[in-house]
Amino acid sequence: MEFDPDLIIPDKNKSISQGAIEPWGFEHGYYRQMLESVAKHYGFSVDTPISEMKPEHMNVILHGGSEAVLFRYVPRDRDGLWNTGAVLKE
Protein backbone atom coordinates (compact mmCIF):
# COMPACT_ATOMS: atom_id res chain seq x y z
CA MET A 1 0.00 0.00 0.00
CA GLU A 2 1.30 3.44 -0.86
CA PHE A 3 0.40 6.64 0.92
CA ASP A 4 1.31 10.30 0.71
CA PRO A 5 3.28 11.40 3.80
CA ASP A 6 2.26 15.01 3.11
CA LEU A 7 -1.39 14.09 3.61
CA ILE A 8 -0.62 12.22 6.81
CA ILE A 9 1.64 14.98 8.17
CA PRO A 10 0.43 18.23 6.54
CA ASP A 11 2.20 20.62 8.96
CA LYS A 12 5.81 19.57 9.45
CA ASN A 13 6.36 22.41 11.93
CA LYS A 14 4.20 20.57 14.45
CA SER A 15 5.51 17.83 16.69
CA ILE A 16 3.77 14.51 17.25
CA SER A 17 2.60 15.78 20.63
CA GLN A 18 1.03 18.78 18.86
CA GLY A 19 -0.98 16.47 16.59
CA ALA A 20 1.26 16.42 13.50
CA ILE A 21 0.10 12.96 12.45
CA GLU A 22 -3.31 13.96 11.13
CA PRO A 23 -5.08 10.55 11.18
CA TRP A 24 -4.00 9.83 14.76
CA GLY A 25 -4.02 13.15 16.53
CA PHE A 26 -2.39 12.88 19.92
CA GLU A 27 -5.16 13.27 22.46
CA HIS A 28 -6.28 9.67 22.27
CA GLY A 29 -4.60 7.76 25.08
CA TYR A 30 -3.77 4.58 23.15
CA TYR A 31 -1.84 6.23 20.30
CA ARG A 32 -0.23 8.72 22.65
CA GLN A 33 1.13 6.00 24.93
CA MET A 34 2.19 3.84 21.98
CA LEU A 35 4.08 6.67 20.27
CA GLU A 36 5.75 7.75 23.50
CA SER A 37 7.03 4.18 23.97
CA VAL A 38 8.24 3.97 20.37
CA ALA A 39 9.97 7.35 20.69
CA LYS A 40 11.72 6.30 23.90
CA HIS A 41 12.81 2.98 22.38
CA TYR A 42 14.24 4.57 19.21
CA GLY A 43 15.72 7.64 20.94
CA PHE A 44 13.61 10.56 19.76
CA SER A 45 11.09 12.91 21.35
CA VAL A 46 7.42 13.30 20.50
CA ASP A 47 7.96 17.02 21.24
CA THR A 48 10.43 17.54 18.36
CA PRO A 49 8.91 19.21 15.28
CA ILE A 50 8.59 16.78 12.38
CA SER A 51 10.80 19.06 10.25
CA GLU A 52 13.66 18.55 12.74
CA MET A 53 13.38 14.77 13.12
CA LYS A 54 16.03 12.44 11.74
CA PRO A 55 15.04 10.50 8.60
CA GLU A 56 15.45 7.16 10.39
CA HIS A 57 12.97 8.24 13.07
CA MET A 58 10.46 9.37 10.44
CA ASN A 59 10.88 6.02 8.74
CA VAL A 60 9.97 4.21 11.97
CA ILE A 61 6.91 6.43 12.43
CA LEU A 62 5.68 6.02 8.86
CA HIS A 63 6.76 2.46 8.02
CA GLY A 64 7.53 0.72 11.29
CA GLY A 65 10.74 -0.61 12.72
CA SER A 66 12.46 -3.96 12.85
CA GLU A 67 11.98 -4.46 16.60
CA ALA A 68 8.94 -5.07 18.76
CA VAL A 69 8.45 -2.28 21.27
CA LEU A 70 6.83 -3.05 24.60
CA PHE A 71 4.36 -0.50 25.81
CA ARG A 72 1.81 -0.21 28.55
CA TYR A 73 -1.61 1.21 27.81
CA VAL A 74 -3.42 2.63 30.82
CA PRO A 75 -7.03 3.55 29.94
CA ARG A 76 -8.13 6.89 31.29
CA ASP A 77 -11.82 5.99 31.45
CA ARG A 78 -11.60 2.76 33.44
CA ASP A 79 -9.30 0.82 35.76
CA GLY A 80 -6.69 -1.54 34.43
CA LEU A 81 -3.76 -1.67 32.07
CA TRP A 82 -2.66 -3.56 29.01
CA ASN A 83 0.86 -4.57 28.02
CA THR A 84 1.74 -5.43 24.43
CA GLY A 85 4.92 -5.94 22.41
CA ALA A 86 4.10 -5.77 18.71
CA VAL A 87 4.10 -2.05 18.04
CA LEU A 88 5.16 -0.49 14.72
CA LYS A 89 6.98 -3.59 13.58
CA GLU A 90 7.81 -4.15 9.89
Side-chain angles (χ1 to χ4, degrees):
M1 174 187 283
E2 290 188 38
F3 58 87
D4 184 347
D6 291 329
L7 293 176
I8 295 170
I9 307 172
D11 185 352
K12 309 246 182 325
N13 293 313
K14 285 184 177 180
S15 66
I16 293 171
S17 65
Q18 293 172 317
I21 301 174
E22 194 68 31
W24 290 351
F26 201 64
E27 294 300 318
H28 189 275
Y30 179 83
Y31 288 118
R32 179 183 193 100
Q33 292 174 47
M34 177 182 64
L35 285 168
E36 286 172 342
S37 295
V38 169
K40 183 177 179 182
H41 180 83
Y42 283 97
F44 64 92
S45 172
V46 296
D47 297 318
T48 301
I50 296 296
S51 61
E52 296 176 19
M53 292 187 78
K54 293 180 180 179
E56 58 265 26
H57 295 151
M58 286 306 305
N59 189 58
V60 167
I61 292 166
L62 294 172
H63 303 286
S66 60
E67 305 168 36
V69 177
L70 294 175
F71 85 101
R72 174 179 285 184
Y73 171 57
V74 182
R76 60 183 166 193
D77 58 346
R78 62 184 184 276
D79 290 338
L81 61 91
W82 173 37
N83 292 308
T84 187
V87 177
L88 289 178
K89 189 172 180 185
E90 291 178 327

